[in-house]
């Protein structure tokens, strides 16, 4: 079993920055992706950014140029640096890990990011 623990959410004014962290622990054998999804009230969960081995990254168009995802494999930790935050970035942000074998997905409990205008 894999556990994901997120930290770093909070309240910030528009234009500000936050850094989210997600530490993975447990039976981690091989990771295909670690990443972040978000879900705003009344909306579906959407991919924000993900990173694979070799540092291949994918970003939602809405965050390109503002958010940066990175990972520390030694610590099984993924980070999301969020700059130039906008009120529309307000959501619960969930950490995700997808395994290489079997494509099993694990989720964190989520951390709330609120951007005030």
């Amino acid at each position: 079993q894999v556990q994901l623990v997120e930290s770093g959410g909070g309240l910030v004014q528009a234009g500000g920055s936050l850094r989210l962290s997600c530490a993975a622990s447990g039976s981690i054998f091989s990771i295909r992706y670690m990443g972040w999804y978000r879900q705003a009230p009344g909306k579906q969960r959407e991919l924000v950014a993900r990173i694979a081995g070799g540092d291949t990254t994918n970003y939602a168009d809405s965050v390109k140029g503002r958010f940066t995802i990175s990972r520390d494999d030694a610590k099984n930790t993924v980070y999301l640096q969020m700059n130039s935050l906008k009120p529309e970035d307000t959501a619960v942000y969930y950490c995700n890990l997808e395994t290489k074998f079997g494509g099993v997905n694990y989720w964190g409990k989520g951390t709330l990011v609120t951007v005030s205008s």
Side-chain angles (χ1 to χ4, degrees), residues 80-102:
L80 185 68
Q81 178 66 44
M82 305 186 293
N83 298 328
S84 302
L85 282 160
K86 304 175 181 179
E88 51 263 44
D89 294 317
T90 295
V92 177
Y93 285 69
Y94 295 92
C95 181
N96 170 261
L97 182 154
E98 181 179 324
T99 64
K100 186 173 292 187
F101 302 109

Side-chain angles (χ1 to χ4, degrees), residues 15-114:
S17 298
L18 283 174
R19 188 191 193 211
L20 305 183
S21 300
C22 172
S25 61
S27 302
I28 303 169
F29 297 106
S30 186
I31 300 173
R32 174 177 288 135
Y33 295 111
M34 287 190 76
W36 294 92
Y37 287 70
R38 68 186 180 187
Q39 187 166 18
K43 294 188 177 181
Q44 290 189 332
R45 191 174 296 188
E46 62 176 359
L47 173 68
V48 177
R50 67 180 183 181
I51 185 167
D55 293 334
T56 301
T57 58
N58 300 103
Y59 292 94
D61 288 343
S62 59
V63 307
K64 284 180 181 177
R66 301 188 297 121
F67 291 9
T68 303
I69 190 169
S70 60
R71 62 192 275 180
D72 183 336
D73 289 338
K75 297 181 180 179
N76 285 326
T77 298
V78 65
Y79 305 95
L80 185 68
Q81 178 66 44
M82 305 186 293
N83 298 328
S84 302
L85 282 160
K86 304 175 181 179
E88 51 263 44
D89 294 317
T90 295
V92 177
Y93 285 69
Y94 295 92
C95 181
N96 170 261
L97 182 154
E98 181 179 324
T99 64
K100 186 173 292 187
F101 302 109
V104 179
N105 276 275
Y106 296 94
W107 296 92
K109 293 183 178 180
T111 185
L112 177 62
V113 171
T114 303

